[in-house]
Amino acid sequence: MRKMSSKEEIERALEEWRRNKEGWPERRESFKTDAGIPVKDLYTPLDVEGIDYLRDIGFPGQPPFTRGVYPTMYRGRFWTIRMFSGHGTPEETNERWRLLYKEGETGFSAAVDSLTFAGVDPDQEVEGATHEVGKEGVPLYSIRGVEAMVKDLPIDRMSVALVVEPLTSAAVTSMYFNVAKARGLRKEQLAGTTQNDILTMTIGYIPWGSLKPADLLKLACDLIEYCTPMKEAPRWNPINFTTYNYREGGIDAVQEIGMGLANAVAHIEELLRRGWRIDDFVHRLAFHLSAHRDFFEEIAKYRAARKLWYRLMKERYKPENPEAYRFRFHVQTAGCSLTARQPMVNIIRTAYQALEAVLGGCQSLHTNSYDEAICLPSEEAVRLAVRTQEVLQEETGVGSVIDPLAGSYYVEALTRELEERIWDYFLKIEEMGGVVEALNTGWLFGEMSKAFNKRRRDQESGEEKVIGVNCYVLEDEEPTPPFRTNPRAAEIEKERLRRLREERDNRKVAALLDQLRRVCEKRENVLPVVSELTAAGATLGEITSVYREMWGIWQLPFVA
Amino acid sequence: MEKKIRVLLFKPGLDGHWRGIMTVSKALSEAGMETIFFGFKTVEGVVEAAIQEDVDVIGFSCHSGAHLEWARELVRELEEKGARDDFLLLIGGVFPEQDHEELRRIGMDGVFGPGTNTADIVEFIRERLESRAKKGGEAT
């Protein structure tokens, strides 16, 4: 057998190679990843020294899960094509979902409007309520809206993601459960996800009249508790730590996963405090990550995140259920990387980002439509976005092999580097008392604003290139025809609520709302009574108003 | 010392996409302007504050798709208070280019879509306020 080269030989050869290329200038003085990690010209076996295959990389479906959470990955089943979608009225959203289903989508995901997000009814005396109905997503103000949204869709076979946050997660999820029940389905068989993420509602997106972080955490944990340890909906993912939404603010891959882990820990600690055992709930916690512009760094990020979750479980919580060690995640391609200028270029950006997610082993994927920096997606744009995933599945062959980038000197070295940096960032948040404290003090807002101000400076100076914005600009560009939501949506939804209030048992609703007040006062789990409320036709605004009345509104510690 | 340009910024309604407005706020203050970020407030409250604080510019950010409605409401409220011409009005955010003209027609002086360089906003504010001051000076 031929002798293998030794470490010393490689070192010597590398040195010689470097000497030989002196006088070959490079494009720039130094290269770095999006997270600022220095990038060398070349990675060799020397960069993966100390990485032990069985200990640090291992096999898919086995610790430390670097190569994927399941043993077969896409050879068993492709990732779910799950498009985040909703506009106008529930009926129009239903129509769009049918189109997506027909085009090959394999999971649904509801994008809601700003009122649903904030838990406001269109007929409440709240500023803006009328202007914004159905504009950013589907209006889901009562069980009737949810019923119309999923009418005749195969929700017995397809999972549904409800993208609502702690303020409205109990109400909207219970509306969905009640609708499914009326269709003859049992809660126990329903598959899906509620986003239910406190950081989305605070540092990601700041809705009107938010509650204090501790109250949002309480509501988030109420839903987890109800679905999982109380076994009301054991197949449901009651939370999706949506690091995507914070990443959209401009932070980097290290901060994204660091904040996500710290967020998960806050929920785990709260549920343990409530007296549940780790094995009662932890296997249902899931994540929703971003796919951003730095190709290899994003792939390394997914691999590092899986390893870190495994480490967190193994070192700290030690669950017995092997499912608990699997870091399952949905991916959304980066909305903030899209441009309104030359929007067709967004198709290309999205395709690369989708490939990152797939090479990184995601469980489900949303691909953005090319017109999303301008308006909600048109039918043409969203069809192309679905096709982007279908090309990956059917034509490229990337799903034939598991974790094909393992063993790449660069990807393995970057995975290790990210793992270390993320863990340090996570510990930093832990040391300041966890995410609730970091929200209360404003530290997390500061991290966000530092990040987006830096992005702005980098983009305006041209340090961070954006095609069509700071380079390769077209002077005379024909604007893309915008998709417009139904201008009558507010009228239609107000009428839907008027009829509901006329037809429901108003005394029963009032009595149940009183009961919710008592539950809030005693800080018991809100789900049982909220579930009764939504079945009785109580509206989202009525339910959320009780939280605001009982617990008060949060004054945000803004750091500009 | 020259008086600092004062800018009041806000997010109308319920929409909570906060990155854009905060980025602009920071850029304007770096350019030496005094910015007041008013958060998520009613248009009525914003107009009252703008008058009371004697600002030069009112700007808002809209990602909700209701940009035309909000622009109309802001102008209507200013007209009711008799302050229609007292401020330079700006809008930024995510909305189709096809609506820029309508936004100007409604009364928005500066309309800034996605990808705007903040230096352009700074320059716009300075130039417009200067030419207003000149016109004002000639009239008196």
Side-chain angles (χ1 to χ4, degrees):
Chain A
M1 215 173 92
R2 244 188 105 229
K3 188 180 142 290
M4 305 287 279
S5 30
S6 70
K7 186 188 159 198
E8 290 70 29
E9 283 170 319
I10 299 173
E11 270 171 352
R12 269 200 306 277
L14 182 65
E15 236 169 79
E16 196 184 328
W17 177 77
R18 288 235 155 85
R19 259 199 318 275
N20 283 338
K21 76 186 185 87
E22 274 167 24
W24 293 66
E26 294 191 330
R27 286 187 282 119
R28 49 194 304 164
E29 233 169 79
S30 65
F31 292 77
K32 55 184 191 331
T33 66
D34 183 76
I37 298 170
V39 180
K40 296 199 270 190
D41 52 356
L42 194 78
Y43 287 76
T44 69
L46 302 173
D47 295 291
V48 295
E49 235 198 321
I51 295 179
D52 180 84
Y53 184 76
L54 293 180
R55 186 194 61 205
D56 302 316
I57 301 174
F59 293 97
Q62 285 178 19
F65 300 99
T66 314
R67 307 204 65 178
V69 285
Y70 298 120
T72 54
M73 293 303 288
Y74 308 139
R75 284 169 71 101
R77 195 168 74 81
F78 278 125
W79 66 91
T80 303
I81 301 178
R82 187 188 300 287
M83 305 298 283
F84 181 51
S85 170
H87 67 85
T89 62
E91 285 80 3
E92 286 162 292
T93 300
N94 180 272
E95 216 173 288
R96 177 60 70 90
W97 284 21
R98 277 161 202 262
L99 169 90
L100 290 167
Y101 179 58
K102 188 176 129 267
E103 298 299 350
E105 181 180 50
T106 50
F108 299 114
S109 173
V112 301
D113 69 359
S114 61
L115 288 81
T116 307
F117 219 86
V120 169
D121 295 338
D123 51 5
Q124 256 174 298
E125 292 299 313
V126 171
E127 176 91 9
T130 305
H131 296 333
E132 295 177 3
V133 173
K135 287 261 170 55
E136 282 177 282
V138 58
L140 300 176
Y141 312 137
S142 73
I143 190 166
R144 291 190 179 174
V146 176
E147 193 180 6
M149 177 177 75
V150 298
K151 189 165 184 278
D152 297 330
L153 290 171
I155 58 168
D156 51 336
R157 301 193 305 278
M158 297 253 291
S159 58
V160 175
L162 302 170
V163 181
V164 287
E165 309 309 338
L167 188 54
T168 57
S169 62
V172 175
T173 309
S174 74
M175 285 174 198
Y176 181 78
F177 288 170
N178 286 325
V179 165
K181 192 172 154 199
R183 276 175 59 171
L185 299 167
R186 287 175 305 116
K187 277 199 300 265
E188 294 73 22
Q189 71 186 98
L190 293 176
T193 300
T194 307
Q195 191 163 93
N196 198 26
D197 180 55
I198 64 171
L199 291 188
T200 291
M201 275 212 85
T202 47
I203 55 171
Y205 174 105
I206 306 169
W208 177 87
S210 186
L211 301 174
K212 290 187 277 295
D215 297 328
L216 293 174
L217 179 70
K218 182 226 178 307
L219 287 172
C221 289
D222 281 0
L223 184 66
I224 302 172
E225 185 173 47
Y226 177 79
C227 291
T228 315
M230 287 165 70
K231 298 193 171 61
E232 290 288 337
R235 290 187 63 207
W236 196 263
N237 296 310
I239 195 159
N240 222 336
F241 299 103
T242 309
T243 66
Y244 170 84
N245 284 321
Y246 348 142
R247 186 74 188 274
E248 282 290 284
I251 57 168
D252 64 31
V254 172
Q255 293 169 301
E256 179 193 345
I257 306 300
M259 287 181 190
L261 293 176
N263 196 11
V265 164
H267 293 71
I268 292 171
E269 294 297 333
E270 167 63 14
L271 287 157
L272 293 174
R273 197 194 58 75
R274 290 185 188 193
W276 298 103
R277 290 176 327 121
I278 190 78
D279 272 304
D280 292 333
F281 62 87
V282 78
H283 58 285
R284 272 287 157 212
L285 306 183
F287 289 78
H288 173 162
L289 273 48
S290 172
H292 225 276
R293 33 187 288 155
D294 191 315
F295 190 80
F296 290 112
E297 184 169 70
E298 291 299 292
I299 295 166
K301 173 189 84 179
Y302 304 125
R303 301 176 86 244
R306 275 192 294 267
K307 278 179 92 169
L308 287 168
W309 180 254
Y310 170 73
R311 176 175 172 186
L312 181 68
M313 287 300 119
K314 186 167 167 267
E315 286 180 6
R316 201 179 286 187
Y317 296 112
K318 305 175 177 59
E320 281 163 27
N321 185 349
E323 294 303 314
Y325 295 86
R326 302 187 211 272
F327 181 88
R328 297 169 301 130
F329 62 98
H330 170 74
V331 170
Q332 180 164 352
T333 58
C336 67
S337 72
L338 305 184
T339 59
R341 295 281 163 194
Q342 301 178 48
M344 292 298 168
V345 179
N346 293 331
I347 301 172
I348 301 159
R349 294 188 176 105
T350 298
Y352 287 129
Q353 292 163 4
L355 181 58
E356 293 164 6
V358 169
L359 294 176
C362 69
Q363 277 57 64
S364 67
L365 176 61
H366 164 96
T367 29
N368 289 322
S369 298
Y370 68 79
D371 51 2
E372 288 192 65
I374 301 162
C375 55
L376 292 194
S378 67
E379 279 191 15
E380 186 219 352
V382 81
R383 186 181 289 113
L384 270 167
V386 174
R387 291 287 179 268
T388 303
Q389 298 198 40
E390 289 162 347
V391 167
L392 282 171
Q393 293 192 344
E394 307 298 345
E395 297 184 0
T396 62
V398 290
S400 307
V401 61
I402 304 167
D403 189 29
L405 292 179
S408 147
Y409 305 126
Y410 179 44
V411 171
E412 292 298 357
L414 199 51
T415 302
R416 175 165 63 182
E417 180 71 29
L418 279 168
E419 198 188 327
E420 284 164 9
R421 288 181 184 226
I422 292 166
W423 191 256
D424 288 347
Y425 192 80
F426 159 70
L427 291 180
K428 192 164 149 186
I429 300 176
E430 291 264 279
E431 275 156 23
M432 63 182 78
V435 288
V436 170
E437 200 45 33
L439 282 170
N440 284 332
T441 59
W443 186 83
L444 279 170
F445 289 100
E447 287 291 279
M448 298 298 291
S449 78
K450 258 190 268 171
F452 56 63
N453 285 314
K454 180 179 182 307
R455 293 267 169 200
R456 192 248 311 162
R457 282 191 292 270
D458 288 352
Q459 290 182 1
E460 293 185 347
S461 70
E463 166 76 17
E464 183 174 312
K465 296 268 191 276
V466 185
I467 309 284
V469 174
N470 63 17
C471 56
Y472 308 104
V473 178
L474 278 183
E475 288 307 329
D476 292 309
E477 223 183 294
E478 195 58 39
T480 305
F483 173 78
R484 306 265 184 194
T485 57
N486 187 345
R488 286 193 54 244
E491 235 174 279
I492 295 167
E493 293 311 312
K494 279 185 178 174
E495 176 57 21
R496 196 190 310 273
L497 286 189
R498 194 194 60 76
R499 281 222 311 273
L500 172 75
R501 292 191 214 281
E502 212 174 81
E503 289 163 18
R504 70 183 188 183
D505 181 345
N506 281 310
R507 277 173 49 188
K508 184 176 179 189
V509 171
L512 285 168
L513 285 170
D514 270 337
Q515 200 182 321
L516 177 60
R517 283 189 186 91
R518 288 193 295 275
V519 164
C520 286
E521 200 173 18
K522 287 189 257 171
R523 293 186 85 80
E524 289 166 357
N525 192 316
V526 300
L527 256 297
V529 60
V530 167
S531 182
E532 275 189 74
L533 271 162
T534 57
T539 65
L540 195 57
E542 288 166 337
I543 292 165
T544 313
S545 296
V546 172
Y547 304 151
R548 289 190 171 113
E549 171 196 326
M550 300 302 293
W551 297 331
I553 288 171
W554 185 34
Q555 294 304 320
L556 286 123
F558 263 128
V559 184
Chain B
M1 210 180 95
E2 203 182 329
K3 184 179 161 279
K4 269 192 174 182
I5 295 171
R6 289 163 63 83
V7 185
L8 188 152
L9 296 169
F10 74 107
K11 285 284 294 179
L14 309 171
D15 171 71
H17 288 100
W18 66 296
R19 178 177 172 178
I21 192 97
M22 296 300 274
T23 305
V24 170
S25 172
K26 181 82 173 174
L28 298 186
S29 46
E30 278 174 9
M33 299 181 194
E34 193 178 325
T35 60
I36 307 166
F37 177 59
F38 219 62
F40 306 86
K41 288 285 159 43
T42 63
V43 168
E44 201 185 345
V46 163
V47 168
E48 269 171 29
I51 295 169
Q52 207 165 12
E53 296 282 328
D54 192 26
V55 299
D56 306 292
V57 184
I58 302 176
F60 74 91
S61 161
C62 186
H63 292 65
S64 69
H67 44 283
L68 296 173
E69 288 88 340
W70 285 120
R72 284 192 198 106
E73 194 164 324
L74 176 62
V75 171
R76 193 168 50 235
E77 188 63 32
L78 284 166
E79 275 168 357
E80 268 174 31
K81 296 267 156 57
R84 172 70 185 79
D85 300 321
D86 296 354
F87 310 100
L88 193 65
L89 303 183
L90 310 183
I91 180 172
V94 174
F95 37 77
E97 214 173 312
Q98 286 85 340
D99 291 349
H100 286 200
E101 209 180 300
E102 178 63 12
L103 285 165
R104 289 199 183 89
R105 208 192 52 75
I106 290 167
M108 303 310 295
D109 300 293
V111 179
F112 301 97
T116 298
N117 193 311
T118 51
D120 294 341
I121 306 177
V122 170
E123 198 186 311
F124 179 88
I125 293 173
R126 286 199 181 122
E127 275 180 11
R128 283 301 191 89
L129 289 179
E130 235 169 75
S131 71
R132 275 188 179 207
K134 261 187 218 153
K135 269 188 217 155
E138 280 160 19
T140 45

